Amino acid sequence: MTAPATPESIETAGRIVVKVGSSSISGERAGQLGPLVDALAGAHARGADVVLVSSGAIATGMPFLQLQERPTDLAVQQAAAAVGQSLLIKRYQERLDRFGITAGQVLLTASDIADPTHRGNAERALETLLSLRILPIVNENDTVATHEIRFGDNDRLAALVARLLRADLLVLLSDVDALYTRPPGEPGAERIPFVAAGDPLTDVLVTETNTGVGTGGAATKLAAARMAAEDGIAVLLTATERVEPALAGERVGTWFEPARAAAPTR
Ligand code: GLU
């Protein structure tokens, strides 16, 4: 398998890791979960190995703990995640049912991937799920690790999973349609459609944001995108609502050219 060299060749990607954040699939955007699953099922149907890295456990669990707002207490966040995680998987599975696809829940931490024994176990389990055509849905294991809760870093976990599985493509979905030269909305912010391999992006100003139900922002996405691209994995950063055209090879979002990319065919 090789990383697609251009967005147009995305359909040649044999193994795809897609990451979605809490705010894209909960609250008033909860309706995006269905179209997201439809797009994943489309890639699965053409034979790709598809892995979803999804946050959203805390946001999904909040109403069941009678919480109107994201809790600030870490233990309560973990409790909400414990309640929400199973419901989140249930929602994904309900939508996957119409395609006859089974989800497999995988809860991981970045330190699991750093530990050779845990990494080997995770890799074997994920490879087996993929060989069975099951769609793994990965999230941080929030009761034992709180890195994502504190730093919004499921983006990094997604890049680590993409590396572990030697994925061809990492798709980072968020509420913003692309990478901009400055925070979008600020005067002079320009959309960046393409980032060449090794481009240090010195003129780009990114800041962290907190969206209310989730954490993370452009900085964690950019760091994850660069990490994956340096590993030879093509990266597409776009909005969750554009996942369908993105996986169909339309020019959306920001494309990070992978290092050691295959020579363009034209
Ligand atoms: N892993 C947690 C979740 O899925 C954390 C998300 C977050 O802090 O945004 O809810």
Side-chain angles (χ1 to χ4, degrees):
M1 287 183 280
T2 49
T6 63
E8 288 78 9
S9 55
I10 233 169
E11 286 182 317
T12 64
R15 183 164 284 186
I16 305 171
V17 174
V18 177
K19 187 262 165 180
V20 68
S22 304
S23 64
S24 290
I25 49 156
S26 64
E28 57 187 33
R29 295 204 184 93
Q32 291 194 141
L33 187 143
L36 166 66
V37 170
D38 297 353
L40 299 179
H44 184 273
R46 66 171 187 258
D49 291 339
V50 181
V51 176
L52 177 65
V53 178
S54 177
S55 311
I58 294 176
T60 305
M62 274 164 41
F64 297 89
L65 273 65
Q66 278 73 51
L67 298 166
Q68 317 303 327
E69 287 172 9
R70 185 183 166 97
T72 49
D73 181 78
L74 185 57
V76 180
Q77 290 177 345
Q78 290 174 298
V83 171
Q85 179 62 29
S86 62
L87 292 160
L88 186 62
I89 295 292
K90 181 166 173 272
R91 284 184 191 159
Y92 279 121
Q93 186 58 62
E94 277 167 5
R95 188 74 178 199
L96 285 166
D97 279 347
R98 61 177 76 179
F99 304 100
I101 300 173
T102 300
Q105 173 183 266
V106 178
L107 299 180
L108 283 178
T109 66
S111 51
D112 284 329
I113 295 182
D115 176 291
T117 306
H118 288 197
R119 179 172 65 240
N121 287 337
E123 183 182 358
R124 197 167 39 249
L126 284 161
E127 289 286 359
T128 304
L129 289 167
L130 291 171
S131 70
L132 294 168
R133 301 296 290 148
I134 289 168
L135 196 149
I137 302 182
V138 180
N139 194 1
E140 181 179 72
N141 190 352
D142 290 319
T143 47
V144 298
T146 54
H147 194 84
E148 193 207 354
I149 293 172
R150 291 168 196 258
F151 305 111
D153 227 357
N154 244 10
D155 299 314
R156 179 154 182 272
L157 186 63
L160 291 171
V161 167
R163 174 193 283 171
L164 181 72
L165 296 176
R166 294 163 297 279
D168 302 308
L169 175 69
L170 171 64
V171 181
L172 295 173
L173 301 172
S174 73
D175 304 336
V176 183
D177 68 328
L179 180 68
Y180 283 78
T181 50
R182 310 182 59 75
E186 273 192 20
E190 282 174 34
R191 188 173 158 265
I192 303 173
F194 178 79
V195 178
D199 184 339
L201 292 172
T202 39
D203 296 340
V204 174
L205 173 72
V206 291
T207 53
E208 282 303 344
T209 53
N210 195 328
T211 54
V213 290
T215 49
T220 58
K221 268 170 203 65
L222 183 54
R226 300 180 76 169
M227 184 174 136
E230 278 164 22
D231 283 339
I233 301 164
V235 181
L236 181 65
L237 195 150
T238 193
T240 307
E241 62 190 16
R242 305 230 170 121
V243 63
E244 205 138 22
L247 289 180
E250 284 181 34
R251 286 235 171 214
V252 295
T254 301
W255 181 264
F256 290 76
E257 182 187 36
R260 304 182 304 276
T265 47
R266 67 198 137 85

